[in-house]
Amino acid sequence: MNKRITIKQIAKALNVSISTVSKALNDSYEISDETKKKIKEYAKFHHYKPNTLALSLQNKKTKTIGIIIPNILSHFFAKVLSGIEKVAAEQGYNIITCITNESYDKEKHTIETLSNGTIDGFIACISEETLKLGKFDHFNNVIAEGTPIVLYDRVHKDIVCDKVVIDNVKTAYKATRFLMRSKCDNIALISTIDGLNVGKFRAKGYEKALTKYGIEPNKDLIIRLENNEHLKERIEHMIDNHKVDGIFTIDETSAAIAVQVLNARNIKIPKDVSIIGFTNGILSKHSVIPLTTVNQFGVKIGEQAAIRLINKLENKIDFDDIRTEIIRTELIERDSTKKLYIKF
């Protein structure tokens, strides 16, 4: 007996996406008549039949949501999870939380395992390894099979689903502009998340702000790494060899290490150097010098992601209604910058 042909095999044979095949077989208006005809004829010729067991599992509600978190040690992700859990509990949903530890294999295995009828939908943040590999079939396959996904924070254009994010470019632009308004002329950028798209977007916002105000970005004042390795040495070299009066760090760890380096050299914060960090986590609040920082509103991101997903599960929103919601940010002024009282 021949093995049943799948949507995935049809997509590969015709060099189209799984989503396109699914929509064509369901006669979606989004697919051209020519493409529909080609897909339907191929499916008919190869005796394609929908997997009725899978469909029945899809249609059976578990009132459970799968939550994918790349790093549980992150204060930001803990806040997002808190927001998701709050809304899920209010709406009578349970959650299954899975930690990928930034692994593509673990993320893929988790999504494929839970999508067998264990959960009704996913709220996920893409792992660092997945973004580097650019492999997103495990997300797209689940979506094509009718399981909704809402991505938060780290997203990608090749995954067509609902997303809840901040405007990283705009936020970094405003933070850098704040430093310029506080009379900082030599503003450094420090990042240990340059392997992530959010890190690249924040670096872009920094450079955009400098260029907007007629300042050529100085490569000697830019540290862009993919992890914390050798970060302290790089900051020490920059401070010792170049004039710096402002630092914008686009992750929280970088800010804390920058403070350590400045303190070791008896450089006064913010009199000599002002610092702005990102995330507004525990390190920012309880640093030796409390840090001015960007608040991403992690709880709000989690709440909105959960609301969006549950509304789809409750058929309050059409499955094909795909949106990206942008959550506002704010700058929380503390002791690491001069007081300007300028609205962020």
Side-chain angles (χ1 to χ4, degrees):
M1 183 177 180
N2 292 331
K3 186 177 180 181
R4 184 200 304 262
I5 191 172
T6 66
I7 287 180
K8 185 176 182 179
Q9 291 170 325
I10 296 173
K12 184 177 181 180
L14 298 180
N15 196 29
V16 296
S17 70
I18 294 172
S19 177
T20 296
V21 174
S22 178
K23 290 177 180 179
L25 293 175
N26 286 286
D27 208 30
S28 170
Y29 69 91
E30 299 176 67
I31 308 301
S32 70
D33 291 339
E34 182 181 350
T35 301
K36 284 182 191 177
K37 182 180 178 182
K38 179 174 68 174
I39 291 172
K40 287 181 178 180
E41 287 180 349
Y42 186 91
K44 183 178 180 180
F45 180 79
H46 290 278
H47 308 291
Y48 167 77
K49 292 182 180 180
N51 189 328
T52 54
L53 175 59
L55 289 173
S56 67
L57 287 172
Q58 279 183 24
N59 293 329
K60 183 179 179 181
K61 299 299 182 183
T62 66
K63 298 288 282 187
T64 302
I65 299 169
I67 314 300
I68 310 296
I69 295 176
N71 179 5
I72 194 58
L73 298 178
S74 163
H75 181 268
F76 169 70
F77 292 134
K79 286 290 188 181
V80 173
L81 179 59
S82 174
I84 294 170
E85 195 280 332
K86 176 177 177 291
V87 172
E90 290 173 349
Q91 299 298 318
Y93 279 77
N94 299 310
I95 64 173
I96 296 177
T97 304
C98 302
I99 317 301
T100 66
N101 291 321
E102 305 291 6
S103 165
Y104 163 77
D105 287 334
K106 190 167 184 180
E107 178 184 270
K108 183 174 183 289
H109 175 74
T110 297
I111 288 180
E112 290 177 348
T113 299
L114 293 183
S115 63
N116 66 356
T118 303
I119 52 88
D120 296 333
F122 287 102
I123 298 175
C125 181
I126 307 172
S127 74
E128 183 174 357
E129 187 177 18
T130 299
L131 287 168
K132 288 180 179 179
L133 292 172
K135 297 168 68 173
F136 309 113
D137 280 353
H138 52 301
F139 286 110
N140 289 323
N141 291 347
V142 169
I143 294 169
E145 290 168 358
T147 301
I149 294 178
V150 177
L151 292 179
Y152 65 91
D153 189 47
R154 305 176 195 168
V155 301
H156 197 279
K157 61 181 178 61
D158 290 343
I159 307 174
V160 182
C161 66
D162 291 297
K163 296 159 186 172
V164 182
V165 297
I166 66 168
D167 188 330
N168 283 285
V169 175
K170 184 177 180 180
T171 298
Y173 175 95
K174 287 185 174 182
T176 307
R177 185 180 64 185
F178 184 95
L179 288 171
M180 287 190 283
R181 287 178 174 177
S182 64
K183 308 303 180 185
C184 294
D185 298 314
N186 301 283
I187 303 171
L189 173 79
I190 304 175
S191 169
T192 61
I193 57 170
D194 203 52
L196 300 174
N197 49 9
V198 293
K200 291 180 171 63
F201 288 143
R202 292 170 194 174
K204 181 178 179 181
Y206 158 84
E207 294 178 349
K208 183 177 179 182
L210 295 182
T211 304
K212 173 73 174 181
Y213 288 90
I215 301 174
E216 182 70 23
N218 183 351
K219 64 179 179 60
D220 293 326
L221 302 186
I222 297 175
I223 300 174
R224 296 177 64 175
L225 306 173
E226 294 188 7
N227 54 56
N228 296 335
E229 190 174 356
H230 305 306
L231 175 62
K232 186 176 180 181
E233 293 86 347
R234 290 285 299 272
I235 296 175
E236 288 172 339
H237 181 270
M238 180 178 69
I239 295 297
D240 293 342
N241 292 278
H242 304 282
K243 181 175 175 55
V244 176
D245 55 15
I247 299 176
F248 174 43
T249 70
I250 61 181
D251 58 278
E252 192 172 47
T253 302
S254 297
I257 295 175
V259 169
Q260 291 177 4
V261 172
L262 294 175
N263 285 340
R265 283 155 174 71
N266 294 315
I267 297 173
K268 303 298 183 184
I269 304 171
K271 181 180 178 181
D272 301 324
V273 178
S274 292
I275 300 180
I276 292 179
F278 223 98
T279 294
N280 191 35
I282 295 173
L283 289 177
S284 299
K285 296 174 185 175
H286 301 293
S287 174
V288 175
I289 298 174
L291 292 170
T292 295
T293 185
V294 173
N295 188 359
Q296 295 174 262
F297 293 103
V299 172
K300 181 69 172 177
I301 289 174
E303 289 175 345
Q304 292 305 115
I307 289 170
R308 185 71 185 174
L309 179 63
I310 291 172
N311 280 342
K312 283 202 166 179
L313 296 176
E314 301 290 338
N315 297 317
K316 295 177 181 178
I317 302 174
D318 188 74
F319 184 86
D320 292 326
D321 180 9
I322 305 298
R323 297 184 184 180
T324 296
E325 182 169 357
I326 299 176
I327 304 298
R328 70 176 184 86
T329 57
E330 70 173 359
L331 192 72
I332 298 177
E333 293 184 62
R334 296 195 181 99
D335 297 339
S336 67
T337 53
K338 300 178 182 73
K339 303 300 180 184
L340 296 185
Y341 303 104
I342 297 174
K343 187 176 181 181
F344 186 52

